[in-house]
């Protein structure tokens, strides 16, 4: 790093430390008799603990405060159910009324009954690597293992290695146009999405949030590409961590997780990749109907080491093409080729329909590096840093102008710290 780069990195780190101080939430929750200490996604819009956000926050914290990084994940694991499930939101300080908005539909007023992209193993990896190493791994891996066993046992009823989500927000990419036709919704009107989501949430609530009953009803069941790429990657990471922790019996665990990851990747390539349009597609319902592509989810497979070079080449070309994903401020969440593409959000809370997000940029840049596409990776990292410099830590950004939208002081956008060369 040159001197100016070092200064810039120090400034960025100071901004991130300040943001994580402001968004820190600490206290005691009588409803579960536990202390909590986590970073909320945004003080105004998202004051509670969200699953994949929290994993990203732990990764960011691991760069400057190992104790808080551990506390973030400890807090996330506090209310893990005995069967391994971890909810997508924990409302630490404010019980949600049963008739609250659809996102909170859950069997408890304090927690949702949904999952989110399973990125826990990566967070544990970062916290262990920059912190207490094997000692930390030995403490947390049993819980982490239980979580991935839950994913496998409960969310993969057809045993193809792909896990299924049962509500749109479980993908973490809430209003992605990939689900439009399946949900019978189109356009940018938040009320239309609310109307399309509500019956799904109500049916799931009526089914007691029991996965088997939800699968039997076959109302909204999606083997989502992004969720499964992250599932595959995290199973691989967990397999490695189990090996590193080196406890008796864990070799078997590592082998099992590797086998499961292989199956997930094989199914992504066999069932979700369509050679005719050269894109990945989510699969809907028992009939596994192919959902539309042209979203950022179809680029995420570049994260996987075992994706064939033709697919890597295709994804790299799409990222470089200004008429596809190569906008001035990449990576748009939807391709410019798609009629659903809007560079900026149109309808307030309607998300993931074009603007760029730091979280997906972080994955794509890492994936490009894994496959030797350094220049393209640098372009995405530089653009991400510029977004934050120009517009601050926002939830998402106009893919063409870089203008920031959505939540302010949005914690996961601090992942730019990783992209600024902070990672080992
Ligand atoms: C939005 C995003 C989701 C995120 C949540 C909290 O719902 O789509 O991915 O976890 O906000 O930041």
């Amino acid at each position: 790093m040159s001197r100016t780069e070092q200064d810039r990195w120090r400034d960025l780190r100071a901004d991130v430390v300040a943001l994580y101080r402001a968004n820190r939430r600490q206290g005691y929750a009588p409803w579960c008799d536990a202390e909590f200490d986590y970073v909320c996604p945004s003080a105004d819009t998202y004051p509670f603990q969200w699953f994949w956000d929290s994993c990203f926050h732990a990764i960011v914290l691991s760069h400057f405060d190992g104790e808080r990084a551990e506390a973030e994940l400890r807090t996330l694991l506090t209310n893990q159910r005995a069967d391994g499930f971890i909810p997508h939101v924990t409302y630490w300080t404010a019980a949600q009324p049963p008739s609250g908005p659809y996102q909170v539909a859950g069997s408890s007023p304090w927690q949702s009954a949904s999952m989110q992209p399973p990125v826990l193993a990566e967070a544990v990896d970062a916290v262990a690597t920059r912190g207490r190493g094997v000692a930390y791994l030995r403490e947390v891996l049993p819980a982490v293992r239980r979580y991935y066993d839950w994913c496998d046992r409960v969310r993969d009823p057809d045993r193809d290695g792909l896990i299924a989500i049962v509500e749109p927000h479980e993908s973490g990419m809430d209003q992605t146009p990939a689900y439009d036709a399946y949900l019978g919704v189109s356009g940018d009107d938040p009320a239309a999405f609310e109307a399309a989501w509500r019956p799904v949430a109500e049916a799931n609530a009526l089914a007691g949030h029991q996965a088997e009953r939800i699968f039997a009803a076959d109302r909204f069941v999606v083997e989502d590409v992004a969720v499964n790429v992250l599932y595959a990657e995290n199973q691989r990471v967990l397999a490695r961590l189990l090996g590193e922790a080196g406890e008796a019996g864990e070799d078997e665990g590592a082998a099992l997780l590797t086998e499961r990851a292989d199956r997930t990747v094989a199914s992504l390539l066999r069932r979700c990749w369509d050679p005719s349009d050269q894109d990945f597609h989510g699969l809907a319902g028992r009939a596994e109907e192919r959902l539309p592509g042209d979203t950022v989810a179809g680029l995420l497979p570049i994260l996987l080491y075992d994706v064939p070079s033709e697919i890597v080449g295709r994804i790299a070309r799409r990222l470089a093409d200004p008429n596809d994903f190569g906008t001035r401020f990449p990576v748009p969440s939807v391709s410019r080729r798609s009629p659903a593409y809007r560079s900026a959000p149109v309808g307030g809370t309607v998300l993931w329909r074009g603007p760029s997000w730091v979280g997906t940029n972080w994955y794509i840049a890492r994936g490009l590096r894994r496959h030797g596409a350094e220049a393209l990776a640098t372009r995405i990292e530089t653009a991400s840093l510029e977004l934050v410099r120009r517009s601050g830590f926002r939830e998402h950004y106009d893919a063409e102008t870089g203008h920031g939208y959505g939540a302010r002081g949005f914690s996961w956008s601090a992942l730019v710290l990783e992209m600024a060369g902070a990672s080992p």
Side-chain angles (χ1 to χ4, degrees):
M1 257 197 241
S2 71
R3 197 166 177 97
T4 2
E5 273 170 349
Q6 263 174 20
D7 287 347
R8 278 210 190 134
W9 192 78
R10 260 198 299 272
D11 289 350
L12 177 65
R13 188 180 185 278
D15 290 347
V16 171
V17 170
L19 176 70
Y20 275 43
R21 196 178 300 126
N23 286 356
R24 185 175 191 177
R25 295 291 175 271
Q26 278 176 288
Y28 168 75
W31 61 270
C32 61
D33 186 23
E35 307 277 343
F36 58 88
D37 184 356
Y38 68 93
V39 174
C40 68
S42 158
D44 302 335
T45 343
Y46 305 113
F48 307 114
Q49 187 175 30
W50 265 259
F51 179 91
W52 75 327
D53 300 68
S54 197
C55 294
F56 294 146
H57 303 163
I59 293 169
V60 172
L61 282 166
S62 72
H63 285 280
F64 58 87
D65 193 332
E67 277 179 29
R68 275 185 68 192
E70 283 195 17
E72 179 85 29
L73 294 183
R74 193 164 50 244
T75 304
L76 188 65
L77 291 168
T78 298
N79 294 299
Q80 179 176 34
R81 262 185 349 220
D83 68 355
F85 169 78
I86 303 170
H88 102 294
V89 192
T90 304
Y91 305 95
W92 282 102
T93 50
Q96 302 298 304
S99 58
Y102 52 80
Q103 290 100 327
V104 306
S107 23
S108 145
W110 303 103
Q111 292 167 298
S112 81
S114 307
M115 67 176 293
Q116 256 194 336
V119 297
L120 177 62
E122 286 176 277
V124 166
D125 186 20
V127 175
T129 304
R130 300 194 188 100
R132 293 191 293 121
V134 168
Y136 177 66
L137 289 180
R138 289 190 173 158
E139 280 169 32
V140 292
L141 284 187
V144 178
R145 175 76 197 273
R146 270 201 305 284
Y147 174 67
Y148 287 94
D149 286 349
W150 176 87
C151 290
D152 172 66
R153 196 179 60 249
V154 176
R155 289 304 187 97
D156 181 15
D158 59 2
R159 309 307 300 152
D160 60 358
L162 301 174
I163 51 172
I165 58 164
V166 298
E167 293 193 33
H169 62 264
E170 289 201 316
S171 67
M173 301 188 186
D174 311 19
Q175 288 99 356
T176 171
Y179 309 150
D180 282 6
Y182 185 42
L183 282 166
V185 74
S186 65
D188 306 291
D189 176 11
F193 284 94
E194 168 105 20
W197 284 25
R198 191 175 281 282
V200 176
E202 282 169 357
N204 290 353
L206 270 176
H209 302 288
Q210 297 297 312
E212 357 33 290
R213 292 175 63 191
I214 295 173
F215 291 134
D218 203 21
R219 180 168 190 135
F220 182 96
V221 177
V222 172
E223 291 173 325
D224 182 80
V225 175
V227 168
N228 280 288
V229 167
L230 298 175
Y231 180 48
E233 169 68 10
N234 275 267
Q235 289 179 108
R236 292 226 187 285
V237 171
L238 178 56
R240 173 168 54 73
L241 297 180
L242 287 167
E244 281 169 25
E247 284 192 293
E250 285 307 8
D251 282 354
E252 212 181 291
L256 181 68
L257 263 296
T258 300
E259 215 178 284
R260 285 187 195 159
D262 288 347
R263 200 149 41 97
T264 308
V265 174
S267 284
L268 275 165
L269 295 175
R270 205 177 48 242
R271 305 163 89 107
C272 300
W273 171 252
D274 184 344
S276 63
D277 71 353
Q278 305 261 297
D279 201 355
F280 285 90
H281 297 264
L283 305 173
R286 207 174 297 122
E288 301 205 330
E289 274 168 39
R290 283 193 171 181
L291 295 177
D294 278 338
T295 74
V296 69
L299 307 176
L300 288 187
I302 200 152
L303 184 68
L304 304 172
Y305 285 104
D306 30 13
V307 160
S309 56
E310 313 86 75
I311 297 183
V312 170
R314 162 73 175 161
I315 293 174
R317 281 194 301 281
R318 297 196 74 178
L319 281 163
D321 180 352
N323 296 314
D324 203 347
F325 287 98
T327 56
R328 165 79 183 85
F329 289 98
V331 176
S333 40
V334 175
S335 162
R336 294 190 77 203
R337 301 190 326 188
S338 162
Y341 170 78
R342 304 279 180 273
S343 70
V346 179
T349 51
V350 171
L351 303 171
W352 297 98
R353 299 182 73 85
S356 300
W357 292 67
V358 170
T360 39
N361 282 8
W362 177 63
Y363 277 118
I364 291 168
R366 281 167 63 211
L368 287 164
R369 282 197 194 285
R370 286 180 178 184
H371 293 282
E374 301 288 332
L376 203 47
T378 304
R379 215 184 111 200
I380 292 169
E381 287 160 353
T382 310
S384 308
L385 282 155
E386 204 182 328
L387 282 174
V388 168
R389 257 198 297 272
R390 280 176 176 223
S391 310
F393 298 103
R394 296 298 297 265
E395 188 172 11
H396 51 167
Y397 303 86
D398 187 314
E400 323 241 345
T401 68
H403 189 84
Y405 289 97
R408 288 168 195 280
F410 189 64
S411 305
W412 97 31
S413 292
L415 280 171
V416 285
L417 197 62
E418 287 249 322
M419 294 196 247
S423 350

